[in-house]
Amino acid sequence: MSPSRWALPVLGVVGTVAVWWGATRALGIRPLFLPAPPDIVAAFRAQPGYLLREAGATLTVTVAGFALAVVTGLLVAVTLTASRTLERVALPVLVGLNSVPKVAVAPLLVVWLGFGGRPKVVLVLLICVFPIVVATMAGLTSTPAELGELGRSLSATGWQTYVKLRLPWALPQVFTGLKVAVSLAVIGAVVAEISQPGGGLGAVIVLSGMSFDTPLAFAAIVLLALLSTALFYLVVALERLLVPWSRAISG
């Protein structure tokens, strides 16, 4: 790996933190309104166990909801692409359901499913599933005609063509949907925790705002950013492991 692959992102993060810190010092911004990086570090060092425990709760909800969204999204996409008629019937319904603001759905999920982790996981599922369905459908329906002719020339069955040609060709698009969805998963978990502040980093932000502890709220926000970034690059690493040829054909 060339140094620029990791040095440039690190430089971007360091530069952002430096500008942030310099702005708070130069403009004399009070920590109540915008804490400087040292204030956030101090807030984390004051309650590391609490913040890490709530980060673990958010991670659990995020991963569970995202995993369900992956399974559901792939099954729905495969089903819809198998029948053009079914796609025309179901896709407008999916688009309509996706357009419903998830913030409005969160309280209803508590009514339907009760308090606890289930409504949070379902909200993450609802937020993540649509981009996975759309990206997977785009990949499954974009197989070049030449590959189809190759399968027929080799006397491949419909199932063999689907598994050995269409699915591999769709994988780069599938991972595009997964990378979008995994970022949305963290947002969905936080929305659920803010609506039901019984645990997680979203609850930390709500409770910190109520007590005017802005540095603690920013410490939770920084942890959320780190969590989202780590999950995103985990999916990127999985893509490079399973689809190493995608970058070659896209270039």
Side-chain angles (χ1 to χ4, degrees):
M1 180 182 294
S2 62
S4 62
R5 295 289 297 274
W6 58 266
L8 291 178
V10 170
L11 181 62
V13 172
V14 171
T16 301
V17 172
V19 171
W20 177 3
W21 192 353
T24 57
R25 293 288 298 273
L27 300 177
I29 301 175
R30 295 168 55 192
L32 175 63
F33 300 105
L34 180 62
D39 300 320
I40 299 172
V41 173
F44 179 81
R45 294 181 64 182
Q47 304 185 67
Y50 169 61
L51 287 169
L52 292 177
R53 183 176 65 251
E54 300 306 326
T58 300
L59 177 62
T60 300
V61 170
T62 301
V63 172
F66 177 69
L68 287 175
V70 171
V71 174
T72 304
L74 293 178
L75 290 176
V76 170
V78 169
T79 302
L80 294 184
T81 52
S83 170
R84 184 66 176 171
T85 301
L86 182 60
E87 176 186 347
R88 290 174 177 172
V89 171
L91 191 57
V93 178
L94 290 176
V95 174
L97 292 175
N98 183 67
S99 66
V100 176
K102 303 306 182 290
V103 176
V105 176
L108 296 176
L109 292 176
V110 174
V111 174
W112 295 333
L113 302 174
F115 291 96
R118 286 185 297 177
K120 298 178 183 179
V121 172
V122 171
L123 186 63
V124 174
L125 163 66
L126 294 176
I127 287 180
C128 293
V129 70
F130 189 73
I132 296 175
V133 171
V134 172
T136 303
M137 290 180 62
L140 291 173
T141 56
S142 65
T143 308
E146 294 83 357
L147 289 180
E149 294 175 0
L150 175 63
R152 288 189 292 272
S153 68
L154 296 175
S155 302
T157 64
W159 174 251
Q160 289 174 326
T161 301
Y162 195 90
V163 172
K164 296 186 177 182
L165 294 179
R166 291 186 68 185
L167 281 179
W169 182 265
L171 282 178
Q173 288 276 28
V174 173
F175 273 100
T176 298
L178 294 181
K179 285 182 284 189
V180 173
V182 77
S183 299
L184 294 176
V186 178
I187 297 174
V190 173
V191 169
E193 290 166 353
I194 290 175
S195 302
Q196 181 190 332
L201 292 175
V204 174
I205 295 171
V206 172
L207 298 175
S208 300
M210 294 172 62
S211 61
F212 299 100
D213 192 351
T214 309
L216 182 60
F218 266 82
I221 292 171
V222 170
L223 285 176
L224 284 171
L226 294 175
L227 178 63
S228 181
T229 302
L231 290 174
F232 178 85
Y233 281 105
L234 184 61
V235 175
V236 170
L238 187 62
E239 179 185 17
R240 292 181 178 177
L241 178 66
L242 298 179
V243 198
W245 43 266
S246 64
R247 297 170 70 88
I249 64 172
S250 63

